[in-house]
Amino acid sequence: DPAETAILAAGVHYLHIEGAFYPLIGILFLLYGYYRAVNQPQMSVVLTIASLGTRVALAYLLSATPLGVTGIWLSVPIGWALADAIGIGYYLKRSACKNDEATSKSTGQSTRCRPETNQKRMHPLTGSIRFFIEHQIFSASMACCRCW
């Protein structure tokens, strides 16, 4: 059947595009896990929004170009790459700040990453409330997934 052949060809084309960029989502999953492990789950949310937001916006924009459906498929790895760049960039910035803070302790100078003035301290309950809300959202999403 020619319709089945066209569908299979489109699927193969899609898998070639997505499969070539799977290391990008692997890196993204590593970043999700890392930021949760170092107690910064908000970065996982930022990375998810960057990835999904980019994919949706680019899918809409690229579908109107001569790329057509291929543009939609290309939006997925572009979103992964953007989220990876944000996650790695934030990690490198934090690493540089930690090194800067260690140097400043030995020299007695303030750091450029975290100046001593205008520091806002978070109330201890804020982290607990955030954890509770994130846990409730995660539990609800897992319960929803089990229904399928």
Side-chain angles (χ1 to χ4, degrees), residues 48-63 71-72 75-76 78-79:
T48 300
I49 291 170
S51 175
L52 289 175
T54 302
R55 287 167 25 189
V56 169
L58 281 179
Y60 178 77
L61 293 172
L62 293 177
S63 66
I72 295 171
S75 69
V76 175
I78 293 170

Side-chain angles (χ1 to χ4, degrees), residues 8-135:
L8 288 174
V12 167
H13 184 60
Y14 167 79
L15 291 174
H16 281 135
I17 291 172
E18 298 301 313
F21 295 99
Y22 252 56
L24 293 176
I25 191 137
I27 293 168
L28 189 56
F29 285 157
L30 288 172
L31 290 167
Y32 288 151
Y34 170 76
Y35 285 116
R36 287 185 187 125
V38 298
N39 201 23
Q40 288 193 318
Q42 68 274 15
M43 262 314 283
S44 294
V45 173
V46 168
L47 297 177
T48 300
I49 291 170
S51 175
L52 289 175
T54 302
R55 287 167 25 189
V56 169
L58 281 179
Y60 178 77
L61 293 172
L62 293 177
S63 66
T65 68
L67 290 172
V69 175
T70 303
I72 295 171
W73 297 335
L74 286 172
S75 69
V76 175
I78 293 170
W80 294 338
L82 178 66
D84 288 347
I86 292 169
I88 292 169
Y90 184 75
Y91 171 80
L92 293 174
K93 181 180 183 257
R94 283 191 56 220
S95 296
C97 286
K98 285 182 181 179
N99 291 338
D100 193 30
E101 287 174 3
T103 304
S104 71
K105 284 181 183 177
S106 65
T107 62
Q109 297 175 350
S110 67
T111 70
R112 65 186 164 164
C113 296
R114 197 177 290 171
E116 293 171 16
T117 58
N118 297 332
Q119 279 188 339
K120 292 183 180 177
R121 297 268 180 202
M122 188 185 312
H123 191 277
L125 287 179
T126 305
S128 300
I129 293 168
R130 183 181 296 152
F131 173 78
F132 175 76
I133 292 170
E134 289 170 353
H135 178 73

